Amino acid sequence: MTTMVPSIQWLGRVSRHGLVVALLAAIAWTGWRWEGQRVLPLHSPAISRPVVTVTLYFPARSGDLLLPEVRQIDAERSSPGDIVRELLKGPSPGLPLVNPFPPGTRLLDWDLEPDGTLVVDFSREIVTRHWGGTAGELATVYSLVNTLTSRSGVRAVLIKVEGQPVDTLAGHLDLRYPLTFAAELVAGG
Amino acid sequence: MISLVTLLLLVYPAWAAPGTANPAAAEQEILWVAGAPLKSVHPVRVTSGYLLVPAVDTFAPLGVEVIPQGAGQDNPGQTARLELRRGEQRLVVGAGQLDAELNGKPYRLHVAPVREAGVWFVPLAGVASALGLQLTWDDQAGRLLLEAPGQPAAVQPASRPSPLPGAGHGGAAQGKRSGQQSDQAGVARLQVLLLQEAGLASLRLVAPVQFEVRVVPAKGAGEKEKPATTRVDIEIEGLQPGTKVAIPAILPGQWPSPFVSLSVQTDGTAAGTSEQKARLGVELDSRFRLITRTGVAEQVGTAEAGVAYRVDLVPQPVQEEKVSLLARLDRLVWQREVGGSARLTLAGSAPRYSFRYQLVKNPSRLLIDLPGTVWTGKETVLDLADPDFTRLTISQPQPDQARITLDLRHPGYPSVRQDDVTGDLLMDILRVVEEINLRTLSGQPVEQVQVTIQSSGPVEARAYVLPTPERLVVDLSGAALVGAGAKISEQANSLVNRVRVAQFNPRTVRVVLELARPLEVKVNQVGDGSRVELFLSPSPPAPAPGSGAQAGGSQPATAATTTVTWLQRWQAQEVQGELPFKAVATAAVGDSLFAGWSETLAQILSAVSVSGQGGGEGAHPGATEVSLSKIAGIKALAGRTIVIDPGHGGDDPGTIGVNGAREKDLALAISLRLAAVLRQSGARVILTRETDVKPEWEERTAPANLNQADALLSIHLNSSPGRVPEPRGVEVYYHSQRPGADQLAQAVLRGLTTVLKVPARRLEAWDDLRVLKGSTVPGVLVEVGYLTNPEEAEKLVTPEYQELIVEGLVTGLSQYFASRQSKAGQ
């Protein structure tokens, strides 16, 4: 019925003997990095215009989950379309997140229907330059869907490409119907 | 960009030596020989960063003859020697000597063998590679695996191809190797793979070697363009005979060997064009220098697969300066990611700091020691508004060691790991799930059961229902089972058939209640979040129009389903927006380097979650045929109708691998092999495509629906660019509303991960997947591997690995059908 987890016991032993280092300790690393020090996600205090805080979901750099990035944007430019454009910029540098949108992807149009379905229309790059894979497709689609449906007033998201309905982005996920927030993909959700 | 780096601070703590109380048990868990943990009363030891293992206990299980040649008789006055024989390979080593002999030729070891009280300890990596044994690092399990590749060497020709995964598919450089060198190159290649496996961000090669780097262009070979990420593939050639390559990735302590670190990056601004400018950075240990002075590798040619670069290295006289440079630590930044780990950024003269940690009790504190590090500020105490920790103290208890002390808010098991890229320390406190208690509530009009799950501290709880059979799942994240697991006390009742609890992943404990019928579930988690209470009562029947609940009670409750309602829910403090848990301690800034790398509790824990799976034993990467007889339950396949849907096809290539392989081609190849094996087992197989065409969606699902197939398998290959470390392993998706699909998915996932020995990345009901949505039979979409992972992509194109995938799929299908048969028979 119950499951043994012997290695935790073992870890206790290891800690006592200090052996954890024998197993786990450092090897040399020459430490050359492309961009020098990491930028921490601080908000700029210098914004004088009214701002709103938006939550953008991006795929975590390790693992399969989406993590929220909280960003402040100009309150006058915080429509669903502006949020999509904010998403398309990718995560802020220094955060352990990746950009799930294929390069060159642009938002062409958007429309919020009375029933709360947000229709977003993208340029063809979102399909032609998509890298594929079920994991890859889920990351792209649900970065968008989870970000937008966590806004009040947006219940579901329907993705179009060049003004036309699409079957899938990369051959897996059915995009013929509006999609709603996927809690399974959110850390801690 | 290039800097010469001096590595130093050889810290060999005393505990690495034998004699301390039973260090062997823990240390030997890491080494698995021929599929089982090393069995030896002699502890593995670490010398100069190399692993020394007891020769007989380690190598004899792999068929190696270990023959001591005494010092006294045949060669009086000589040092003691040990002969190790495997097939035609004959290695003779001497105690205390780096020079050995391999097949009569000189062979140099990185560290000398030791003979103590008649027991020989020999360097693991050096001896394994000399004898042609396969040494791999299992990142998922945190194990080093020593195995005999394929068949015993005695029946193999001496110049057989390298047994290493992926070797032999290297590209242009391949043809230039002589037979004898190919094993050596394979060994060097192994090291690169291992380092990638270990999740290190850059690649390292042991010099002196000449090596070529093939940069796969960011643009894929097919119709689809790849994002501007770059893969690096390393080909090593021209290894001098006798050059030895050791395996540093998993060894503790300072790596004493010279190595180069090499990085390649495409120019991001050129993304999407074919003119990708590659910059090649090479970092050297001070004992080596580059022949090219520019610091940029010389381009030696272009091939279909990419641009080849060459970097020549020569040894430089070592200046053994006994300068002890300590890394300076100037600044600490504490952050808590939403729903994630606590993150401690260490800023100072080193890009990464090595660390070790321990838990002390009363009060519970996590001590993180940073050897070789000087905190440049005063002893500082920071109060933290963190769900797990109350206070951080940074101090300098020893001149060469800084210490970070974290006071725990609640007792728990700490896990500290290091971010692969940034070097930040990531900390989790796992709660212990202690007790699960089921009791019936008396004095209620209907039977009610209360389930209490008690943990040692707050846990994030999720509760949801899985159908067929109806199960209530409670996932407790940030939790672990320890010792004999949680204590389950169960009072007989008619609502819950069975309670199971297991460590689902390193951070999550899963409690599963198998329900006897649809229930109404109310969940309560209050106070400090350490206790989750579930109140179970039978689902009210479907409301009968115009009548009271009592009157409806006699009707069959066909519409009843299990519902989960939260009464109250404890939540961790929110951390969005203002980053309230941020705390900074600052001193000064500097520029020297210290290096380090540490392992994680999470990885050790994950070894538990992947172990103990049966079936598929004895599969070797070298096997080329699927041996049907050894697959359990294979007979259950006879007479089944199975539809196989090779993903993509025609003008849709699917994902393009880093090696240029196209998903549509591999999916078809695997599907055709699978079809052949299933037919051989008596199954009726229908393929949705047998050539390079793209079926309509209906054509993918109709064959299963029309033939009322017993199973549908849609075969795909995965992609997830830009991740660190590159994901690898298997994902299986199913439709939550197709009875049996969840069991099929579990069986297929287990079959594949057992045979392929890869991580199970995801098992998920995903009803919006087009092929599963359109079919009415139990179906799964299987992602058999990642084409974005260079190592996995190389394996996926080989017939041998495809056969293993087929074996995994057949194993899963067999077990699924066998379990259905046995259920039907009951």
Side-chain angles (χ1 to χ4, degrees), chain B residues 527-566:
Chain B
D528 71 347
S530 64
R531 187 180 176 96
V532 179
E533 293 170 338
L534 305 153
F535 299 94
L536 314 180
S537 54
S539 276
S547 68
Q550 292 301 323
S554 58
Q555 294 176 1
T558 48
T561 52
T562 298
T563 55
V564 177
T565 320
W566 281 87

Side-chain angles (χ1 to χ4, degrees), chain B residues 433-583:
Chain B
V433 177
E434 294 164 339
E435 193 175 348
I436 298 167
N437 190 325
L438 249 87
R439 64 188 187 95
T440 55
L441 298 178
S442 53
Q444 304 290 332
V446 290
E447 183 174 7
Q448 274 198 32
V449 172
Q450 182 186 2
V451 182
T452 310
I453 306 170
Q454 182 66 48
S455 309
S456 63
V459 293
E460 296 270 359
R462 270 178 79 192
Y464 52 95
V465 179
L466 291 177
T468 12
E470 198 111 301
R471 282 153 297 160
L472 177 66
V473 180
V474 183
D475 281 343
L476 307 169
S477 77
L481 295 169
V482 301
K487 183 182 157 208
I488 300 182
S489 49
E490 208 172 336
Q491 211 171 7
N493 68 84
S494 70
L495 303 184
V496 179
N497 289 340
R498 193 163 168 241
V499 182
R500 290 180 281 134
V501 58
Q503 189 79 40
F504 178 65
N505 68 32
R507 279 186 52 85
T508 309
V509 169
R510 174 167 285 184
V511 180
V512 179
L513 307 176
E514 293 181 4
L515 307 183
R517 54 180 132 155
L519 297 181
E520 194 176 279
V521 181
K522 294 198 169 70
V523 192
N524 208 10
Q525 186 187 20
V526 290
D528 71 347
S530 64
R531 187 180 176 96
V532 179
E533 293 170 338
L534 305 153
F535 299 94
L536 314 180
S537 54
S539 276
S547 68
Q550 292 301 323
S554 58
Q555 294 176 1
T558 48
T561 52
T562 298
T563 55
V564 177
T565 320
W566 281 87
L567 299 174
Q568 288 192 73
R569 187 169 197 171
W570 174 87
Q571 281 189 320
Q573 289 162 269
E574 286 293 324
V575 225
Q576 301 191 6
E578 296 299 312
L579 297 174
F581 298 150
K582 196 173 152 207

Side-chain angles (χ1 to χ4, degrees), chain B residues 647-665:
Chain B
H648 309 276
D651 63 3
D652 171 14
T655 193
I656 311 276
V658 290
N659 53 358
R662 296 182 298 189
E663 180 181 5
K664 64 171 185 177
D665 300 332

Side-chain angles (χ1 to χ4, degrees), chain B residues 236-260:
Chain B
I236 304 168
E237 58 176 307
L239 276 170
Q240 302 302 311
T243 301
K244 283 162 288 293
V245 180
I247 300 172
I250 43 75
L251 299 181
Q254 197 72 42
W255 172 239
S257 230
F259 63 79
V260 301

Side-chain angles (χ1 to χ4, degrees), chain B residues 266 279 447 502 762:
Chain B
T266 55
R279 283 178 291 149
E447 183 174 7
R762 199 184 247 170

Side-chain angles (χ1 to χ4, degrees), chain B residues 195-414:
Chain B
L195 284 157
Q196 288 176 319
E197 283 291 86
L200 299 182
S202 65
L203 306 168
R204 293 163 200 180
L205 302 174
V206 171
V209 294
Q210 298 176 334
F211 59 92
E212 284 189 1
V213 183
R214 184 161 58 88
V215 182
V216 178
K219 190 174 169 184
E223 293 86 334
K224 290 198 177 182
E225 286 164 344
K226 303 295 291 179
T229 55
T230 302
R231 315 281 165 223
V232 181
D233 197 356
I234 303 280
E235 287 297 324
I236 304 168
E237 58 176 307
L239 276 170
Q240 302 302 311
T243 301
K244 283 162 288 293
V245 180
I247 300 172
I250 43 75
L251 299 181
Q254 197 72 42
W255 172 239
S257 230
F259 63 79
V260 301
S261 174
L262 179 147
S263 309
V264 179
Q265 190 185 41
T266 55
D267 197 333
T269 58
T273 72
S274 58
E275 287 289 307
Q276 301 259 344
K277 288 179 190 166
R279 283 178 291 149
L280 189 64
V282 179
E283 250 186 291
L284 299 177
D285 183 313
S286 63
R287 285 166 282 190
F288 289 82
R289 63 185 167 85
L290 271 176
I291 289 181
T292 53
R293 292 197 194 96
T294 58
V296 174
E298 184 189 351
Q299 188 173 332
V300 293
T302 53
E304 194 183 0
V307 185
Y309 294 86
R310 174 176 230 115
V311 180
D312 293 331
L313 304 172
V314 291
Q316 192 161 261
V318 180
Q319 294 175 354
E320 291 287 357
E321 291 179 44
K322 295 280 181 187
V323 185
S324 170
L325 293 181
L326 294 172
R328 290 203 314 277
L329 178 61
D330 304 319
R331 191 160 177 266
L332 297 175
V333 179
W334 178 273
Q335 274 182 286
R336 169 68 73 163
E337 293 164 10
V338 179
S341 311
R343 176 180 288 269
L344 188 59
T345 304
L346 309 174
S349 62
R352 290 166 85 82
Y353 293 81
S354 69
F355 69 96
R356 54 179 176 237
Y357 67 93
Q358 57 177 310
L359 179 71
V360 296
K361 299 272 176 69
N362 298 325
S364 288
R365 285 176 166 174
L366 174 62
L367 306 183
I368 303 174
D369 284 331
L370 307 171
T373 302
V374 177
W375 167 245
T376 52
K378 291 184 295 197
E379 177 163 330
T380 308
V381 178
L382 294 169
D383 286 325
L384 302 173
D386 185 278
D388 287 338
F389 302 97
T390 56
R391 203 158 61 156
L392 179 152
T393 310
I394 171 86
S395 59
Q396 188 79 32
Q398 292 167 33
D400 60 349
Q401 180 165 302
R403 166 172 285 182
I404 296 165
T405 306
L406 289 162
D407 294 11
L408 271 62
R409 200 172 286 280
H410 311 275
Y413 277 73

Side-chain angles (χ1 to χ4, degrees), chain A residues 1-3 5 10 21-22 24-30 32 38 42 61-64 131 134-135 172 174 176, chain B residues 1 15 29 204 251-253 283 356 422 486 499 501 582 595-599 655 718 723-724 761 768 770 783:
Chain A
M1 253 334 172
T2 58
T3 302
V5 185
W10 161 138
V21 187
L24 313 177
I27 63 155
W29 152 279
T30 55
W32 179 64
R38 210 164 76 82
L42 296 175
R61 191 166 51 211
S62 61
D64 292 314
W131 35 85
T134 303
H172 313 96
D174 192 345
R176 293 172 301 168
Chain B
M1 291 288 263
W15 42 256
E29 289 264 331
R204 293 163 200 180
L251 299 181
E283 250 186 291
R356 54 179 176 237
T422 60
V499 182
V501 58
K582 196 173 152 207
W597 177 70
S598 265
E599 255 285 8
T655 193
N718 222 340
R723 307 302 171 93
V724 180
R761 278 191 66 80
D768 278 321
R770 188 77 196 267
E783 297 276 1

